[in-house]
Amino acid sequence: MTIIVVVDQGACIQCGLCYLDNCPDVFKEGSDGTSEIAERYRTDSASQGEVPSDLTDCAKNAADACPATAISVLDLS
Ligand code: SF4
């Protein structure tokens, strides 16, 4: 199973819900408060990564809770 997570950093309003509350294993706070993908899961940039299947629910919960709908979770399996 391949799970791709993308943060639309232009839409992120730096609320911190994803990296502080819902899924700190996948997301981290960038220097200006914008959400980033944790380094270990990044594929190319700070805004996109591939996460293991056991973090799917965590990433999806963060996407559902994001007030800016800035997180996309794509299941490519
Ligand atoms: S929950 Fe959404 S708006 Fe808030 S920091 Fe994360 S990506 Fe940005």
Side-chain angles (χ1 to χ4, degrees):
M1 186 185 299
T2 301
I3 306 297
I4 303 296
V5 181
V6 180
V7 177
D8 180 348
Q9 294 182 309
C12 174
I13 58 170
Q14 298 93 28
C15 74
L17 276 176
C18 59
Y19 53 75
L20 293 177
D21 296 324
N22 285 300
C23 194
D25 288 337
V26 171
F27 302 95
K28 65 165 287 192
E29 181 177 9
S31 58
D32 65 352
T34 299
S35 177
E36 298 180 349
I37 304 297
E39 282 96 341
R40 63 186 302 199
Y41 298 127
R42 287 180 193 174
T43 46
D44 49 5
S45 69
S47 64
Q48 182 169 322
E50 182 175 333
V51 303
S53 57
D54 62 332
L55 290 174
T56 305
D57 288 348
C58 165
K60 286 183 174 178
N61 287 341
D64 290 344
C66 175
T69 58
I71 298 170
S72 300
V73 180
L74 311 170
D75 182 349
L76 302 182
S77 61

